[in-house]
Amino acid sequence: MHALSRRRFLKISAGSVAALGASGVISSGFVRRAGVAADSGTRTVPTFCDICFWKCGAIATVRDGQLWKIEGNPLDPLSRGRLCPRGTGGVGAHWDRDRLRTPLLRVSERGEDQWKAVTWDEALDHIASRMKKIKTEHGPESVALFSHGIGGTFLKHTLRAFGSPNSAAPSFAQCRGPRDTGFELTFGDGLGSPERTDIENARCLVLIGSHLGENMHNTQVQEFATAVQRNATVIVADPRFSVAASKAKHYLPVKPGTDLALLLGWMHVLVSERLYDTDYVEAYGHGFEEFCAEIAACTPEWAAAETGLSAESIRETAREMARHRPATLVHPGRRVNWYGNDAQRSRAIALINALLGSWGRKGGFYTPSILSVPDYPYPPYPEVAKAKVDNPNKRYPFAKDSLTTGIREATITGQPYPIKGWFVYATNLINALPNQEETIRAIQNLDLLVVIDVVPSEIAGWADVVLPESTYLERFEELHLGPFKQPFVGIRQPVVDAPHDQKPNWWIAKRLAEKLDLGHFYPWDDIEDYLRWRVEDAGLSYAELKQKGIILGDMEPLYFEDGVPPEFDTPSGKIEFYSEQLAEAGFDPVPRYTPPEEGPPGSFRLLFGRAPVHTFSRTQSNPLLNEMMDENELWLNAAVARQLQLKSGDRVRLRNQDGVTSNGIRVKATNRIRPDCVYMVHGFGHTAKGLRQTFGKGASTAQMVTRYKVDPLMGGTAVNVNFVTLETEN
Ligand SMILES: Nc1nc2c(c(=O)[nH]1)N[C@H]1C(S)=C(S)[C@@H](COP(=O)(O)OP(=O)(O)OC[C@H]3O[C@@H](n4cnc5c(=O)[nH]c(N)nc54)[C@H](O)[C@@H]3O)O[C@H]1N2
Ligand SMILES: Nc1nc2c(c(=O)[nH]1)N[C@H]1C(S)=C(S)[C@@H](COP(=O)(O)OP(=O)(O)OC[C@H]3O[C@@H](n4cnc5c(=O)[nH]c(N)nc54)[C@H](O)[C@@H]3O)O[C@H]1N2
Ligand code: SF4
Ligand SMILES: [Mo]
């Protein structure tokens, strides 16, 4: 039963996943160390995965003292006992021979990558004295934190105790911020993570460049497989025939950057043919008439001319969506910072879901719940004298979260006030932020750059001090209280010891606070005192949590039809088809389409996405995942390839519109992509020499993203606006 369902799950991922074998368990035998085992026999430790931020519940097995394998925790509602291929290969993070081993202090110019090993005390004393100097000269707000993932929690606490409000993650401005803004403006609530999409119950699933099956977010991929088995209709709009497209009844090879026209065309059909959910719109909608007037000109014929699709296919797919409503889910996507109009495109996605009546309904968007676990009773943080630096005068009025790129800009300009110290935790800013040159320019203005990482990444190469963290398999963490269908609490706990002098984030944050004379902000001695306090104050058993890894809460109603009150936290208290707050701020109250800018003649728009076996730029040096995929390739339309006299396997370099040239990359000539764009997986083309396994392999998308367009509503940085030509590699 278990093996069967796992196979079904794997079937919809790409071919390379077959390397996992039927059991889905990768043996880590080939990297096992020789030597006498500390403990013999087999033991298991429940924890949760950190290879991406889905945080699947997992159970790790240790055999004869050695980390052996990791599998899904059947109690966990996210993983349901099955990890994705990356999670299964996660054990490789522990074995990676390129790991950072001890704290390092820079001994030459910034960026020259020359270091001396120091003790933790030396490193933290150095950091604390630089921080105190910045505080005296500029104020504590001039130290900022960049972090990604749950591991940043304690460092954020230390920075707040120090007096800085400035912290940001790339998951907002570089990822899902525009989407949450678009949905909040419409429904008064965002989507969160995991997204509140009820994929498994959808009768019709519409994916607009959400390439599920390559984008491996575990629960979503499992639910997608379930929906496909139940014969849900799948509609995919993507310039590239993705893995998801291969499951689709309707595949729409939309011209890149024109999705808003497609959405407006679809909505025109739903309204003009009165196929929308009239009761729902009447009960909950605000400004519907103004909305209808605005979209009156957006006929399928008009949308067809913009998108390169046929008017007939636009009509047919809109009717298909209407047939299955309200169980039609137009997926909001996740990395939606594509063209600079992304919050408005996301708002259009929210609006079409509103027309279909899917928000709050089964097979659409459910209402998540979260287990109530009290915060630890810390002393209050000091008053902050200066407001956050990243969005002065609310330049981006609908940014609900801090902007990484806003902090970077303040670091370059010194406005509205200077930023002189950066803490960078688990985010490779050189690869995550657009325009590497700007990131480096900001770094050159700093008095202190601390990077906390597990491997010598690109950003670590620019640091003044590098702190080596233990991997997720070697540490405790903040509790995981995911908002989901069923509320739960999950624990991460060490499976094995850190192999060298690596330390967990909580230890680093606490020790640094002590060095900054802020020890009273950590009234607990050990992380387990902290975790136990929180869990027991919620009336739960800490021993049970450690033993099971997960404690489930009671199910709450999920849908309006089950008793969830239909409440919309918008100014009108309703679903805003027409948005006065957008109009007042000088933006389109109903999304309006403008065509994307074209590239130079003869160039291709550069698109990118995910591979099932890698996460961003953080897994290429993992020996197990590297073995499954060690470089990326460039998808190029087969007819175009013939014209250029290129064939699959030929190596080319990309040159972008600003003359930046990439590493060599192999061509994949295929009919599965439009002729006006090329596509590659993000994360390869590492330039950090310490990443010996992966250095120089494949091409880097981040290097090619010299241009970006900022979303005027919320400050997201759109990156699908770069164009490349190809040069053969000699
Ligand atoms: N060009 C381009 N840019 C992008 C994207 C893209 O597709 N293309 N995607 C965007 C999106 S959607 C996102 S969410 C962001 C992701 O942005 P990031 O989260 O910054 O992604 P990574 O580049 O993988 O950097 C992660 C870093 O964390 C380190 N790390 C891994 N595990 C640990 C750990 O346990 N502890 C510590 N301390 N460090 C660890 C890794 O070694 C690596 O240096 O990037 C965004 N930027
Ligand atoms: N295996 C794996 N899974 C992951 C991650 C990972 O690193 N590895 N990262 C996770 C994270 S943080 C995120 S944000 C998500 C990102 O995953 P998604 O949000 O699903 O997708 P993107 O990476 O933005 O988009 C890639 C797809 O959009 C298509 N596309 C490009 N331009 C256009 C366009 O103009 N219109 C349309 N309709 N389609 C277009 C591309 O061809 C590609 O198929 O993945 C998550 N899942
Ligand atoms: S989706 Fe995969 S990599 Fe992400 S947490 Fe789950 S198992 Fe780990
Ligand atoms: Mo993301």
Side-chain angles (χ1 to χ4, degrees):
M1 176 66 189
H2 177 231
L4 192 75
S5 47
R6 164 139 204 120
R7 253 199 305 277
R8 256 191 246 124
F9 166 43
L10 289 176
K11 220 165 56 183
I12 72 158
S13 61
S16 51
V17 179
L20 278 171
S23 75
V25 175
I26 310 169
S27 161
S28 59
F30 79 96
V31 278
R32 286 208 303 151
R33 287 174 295 185
V36 183
D39 52 335
S40 58
T42 301
R43 63 186 169 87
T44 57
V45 184
T47 185
F48 61 87
C49 181
D50 193 45
I51 299 301
C52 84
F53 303 120
W54 205 253
K55 305 188 201 76
C56 294
I59 295 179
T61 305
V62 178
R63 204 156 90 175
D64 297 339
Q66 306 274 13
L67 178 62
W68 181 247
K69 64 179 177 180
I70 189 161
E71 293 161 295
N73 182 345
L75 290 175
D76 172 43
L78 290 177
S79 73
R80 302 172 188 183
R82 290 173 274 161
L83 299 184
C84 88
R86 298 169 296 156
T88 311
V91 288
H94 170 73
W95 298 109
D96 189 342
R97 68 193 172 102
D98 291 338
R99 284 180 64 174
L100 294 164
R101 295 171 178 223
T102 119
L104 300 171
L105 210 57
R106 182 169 61 79
V107 293
S108 65
E109 289 297 302
R110 244 191 212 132
E112 284 185 356
D113 227 349
Q114 295 190 20
W115 313 93
K116 78 170 178 203
V118 293
T119 65
W120 278 96
D121 267 336
E122 285 168 324
L124 293 173
D125 282 335
H126 178 90
I127 294 167
S129 78
R130 292 276 188 104
M131 285 176 75
K132 287 177 180 170
K133 188 157 178 277
I134 294 172
K135 186 174 188 165
T136 311
E137 290 172 3
H138 304 278
E141 302 85 357
S142 291
V143 179
L145 169 69
F146 296 85
S147 71
H148 198 180
I150 197 169
T153 308
F154 295 103
L155 282 159
K156 231 175 267 175
H157 175 57
T158 296
L159 262 278
R160 289 294 307 277
F162 179 68
S164 177
N166 290 314
S167 76
S171 45
F172 186 73
Q174 281 70 48
C175 176
R176 52 195 160 88
R179 174 194 89 173
D180 286 293
T181 294
F183 272 66
E184 273 165 26
L185 284 165
T186 310
F187 296 113
D189 207 353
L191 292 147
S193 177
E195 289 83 11
R196 53 204 290 181
T197 45
D198 192 16
I199 296 172
E200 65 184 336
N201 292 312
R203 300 297 312 140
C204 175
L205 177 66
V206 185
L207 300 174
I208 302 174
S210 322
H211 54 336
L212 296 182
E214 289 157 289
N215 157 358
M216 270 318 230
H217 275 165
N218 193 348
T219 325
Q220 297 213 9
V221 178
Q222 292 190 35
E223 291 199 14
F224 182 35
T226 306
V228 169
Q229 274 160 32
R230 292 180 183 162
N231 288 320
T233 298
V234 178
I235 300 171
V236 170
D238 195 312
R240 182 184 65 101
F241 189 83
S242 59
V243 171
S246 69
K247 306 290 157 193
K249 178 171 170 192
H250 302 278
Y251 166 60
L252 305 171
V254 63
K255 179 180 170 190
T258 66
D259 300 86
L260 181 50
L262 174 61
L263 286 156
L264 291 169
W266 273 337
M267 293 198 281
H268 186 279
V269 178
L270 294 178
V271 170
S272 63
E273 300 187 10
R274 277 190 77 79
L275 298 174
Y276 66 96
D277 190 333
T278 46
D279 294 345
Y280 184 94
V281 169
E282 192 160 320
Y284 309 131
H286 166 82
F288 186 63
E289 279 174 22
E290 292 95 323
F291 164 81
C292 292
E294 275 286 329
I295 66 163
C298 304
T299 61
E301 282 68 23
W302 165 82
E306 295 298 331
T307 56
L309 305 169
S310 72
E312 205 34 57
S313 67
I314 296 173
R315 273 207 183 83
E316 195 185 338
T317 43
R319 289 173 188 154
E320 179 95 49
M321 284 183 228
R323 262 199 293 286
H324 301 286
R325 69 174 168 75
T328 295
L329 172 63
V330 184
H331 195 287
R334 187 167 174 112
R335 187 179 72 84
V336 294
N337 53 324
W338 290 348
Y339 299 98
N341 64 344
D342 306 301
Q344 290 282 21
R345 186 185 68 251
S346 297
R347 188 165 136 68
I349 294 177
L351 287 171
I352 192 168
N353 280 296
L355 287 176
L356 295 162
S358 69
W359 180 263
R361 310 281 282 281
K362 188 169 179 180
F365 296 84
Y366 68 87
T367 306
S369 50
I370 198 160
L371 208 67
S372 161
V373 173
D375 287 339
Y376 192 87
Y378 287 127
Y381 295 128
E383 290 283 323
V384 179
K386 297 178 204 158
K388 286 183 179 187
V389 79
D390 62 287
N391 189 12
N393 303 318
K394 289 207 140 209
R395 175 154 53 137
Y396 304 108
F398 300 103
K400 297 286 158 73
D401 217 330
S402 301
L403 305 168
T404 47
T405 24
I407 297 179
R408 180 178 74 176
E409 191 177 330
T411 311
I412 294 173
T413 62
Q415 298 299 328
Y417 55 86
I419 294 293
K420 287 292 170 187
W422 281 10
F423 268 80
V424 180
Y425 175 83
T427 169
N428 193 346
L429 295 182
I430 301 290
N431 292 336
L433 303 186
N435 194 316
Q436 299 183 330
E437 191 261 323
E438 274 182 61
T439 306
I440 291 164
R441 205 149 25 103
I443 288 171
Q444 298 295 26
N445 274 352
L446 294 172
D447 293 341
L448 175 66
L449 173 54
V450 181
V451 173
I452 303 163
D453 208 313
V454 288
V455 292
S457 60
E458 283 76 16
I459 186 68
W462 287 95
D464 303 328
V465 189
V466 179
L467 302 178
E469 193 178 19
S470 41
T471 68
Y472 72 105
L473 294 160
E474 302 149 5
R475 67 182 192 236
F476 280 103
E477 198 81 80
E478 176 58 292
L479 297 170
H480 176 209
L481 295 162
F484 195 57
K485 285 184 179 170
Q486 182 159 19
F488 66 91
V489 54
I491 190 168
R492 177 175 289 157
Q493 46 191 342
V495 180
V496 283
D497 291 336
H500 312 100
D501 198 11
Q502 299 98 345
K503 299 283 187 195
N505 58 66
W506 66 266
W507 184 95
I508 299 169
K510 178 169 160 49
R511 220 11 195 269
L512 177 64
E514 287 159 4
K515 302 264 184 201
L516 292 164
D517 314 314
L518 300 168
H520 55 290
F521 278 93
Y522 285 88
W524 41 272
D525 288 330
D526 183 80
I527 182 76
E528 286 210 81
D529 300 337
Y530 166 90
L531 297 172
R532 188 180 296 106
W533 188 94
R534 287 194 69 194
V535 172
E536 289 181 353
D537 209 53
L540 303 171
S541 157
Y542 184 64
E544 183 188 347
L545 181 59
K546 284 195 71 169
Q547 193 240 324
K548 293 183 173 167
I550 301 269
I551 296 179
L552 295 168
D554 294 333
M555 283 294 283
E556 302 282 333
L558 294 173
Y559 314 114
F560 292 172
E561 56 266 36
D562 295 343
V564 174
E567 287 168 353
F568 307 97
D569 190 13
T570 54
S572 63
K574 297 200 153 191
I575 300 172
E576 303 217 326
F577 282 93
Y578 182 94
S579 168
E580 274 89 6
Q581 53 172 337
L582 277 176
E584 277 158 27
F587 299 111
D588 296 333
V590 175
R592 266 194 202 157
Y593 173 77
T594 38
E597 284 159 36
E598 303 290 336
S603 67
F604 305 94
R605 192 183 287 274
L606 175 63
L607 304 180
F608 33 85
R610 309 291 179 229
V613 297
H614 282 288
T615 303
F616 321 126
S617 80
R618 61 191 263 146
T619 50
Q620 289 73 25
S621 76
N622 172 319
L624 296 171
L625 299 179
N626 186 278
E627 196 180 65
M628 286 193 265
M629 178 180 179
D630 68 352
E631 59 181 296
N632 53 0
E633 45 187 15
L634 186 77
W635 293 49
L636 175 67
N637 177 273
V640 173
R642 272 193 303 278
Q643 271 169 22
L644 296 176
Q645 298 185 322
L646 289 169
K647 56 183 189 316
S648 286
D650 286 352
R651 293 188 79 83
V652 294
R653 290 179 190 276
L654 314 182
R655 177 189 283 270
N656 81 355
Q657 70 283 327
D658 296 318
V660 177
T661 310
S662 77
N663 279 355
I665 180 170
R666 269 182 298 141
V667 167
K668 171 188 169 116
T670 172
N671 291 321
R672 288 173 56 189
I673 188 163
R674 287 174 54 100
D676 51 1
C677 52
V678 291
Y679 174 87
M680 63 190 191
V681 166
H682 169 62
F684 286 88
H686 280 280
T687 54
K689 292 206 174 66
L691 301 175
R692 288 172 294 177
Q693 285 219 72
T694 186
F695 172 78
K697 288 200 187 156
S700 158
T701 66
Q703 212 177 14
M704 291 293 107
V705 174
T706 48
R707 300 226 177 145
Y708 59 98
K709 249 179 125 168
V710 181
D711 190 302
L713 274 64
M714 48 62 67
T717 56
V719 289
N720 288 11
V721 296
N722 289 272
F723 294 87
V724 297
T725 50
L726 310 183
E727 300 174 352
T728 40
E729 198 184 30
N730 299 314

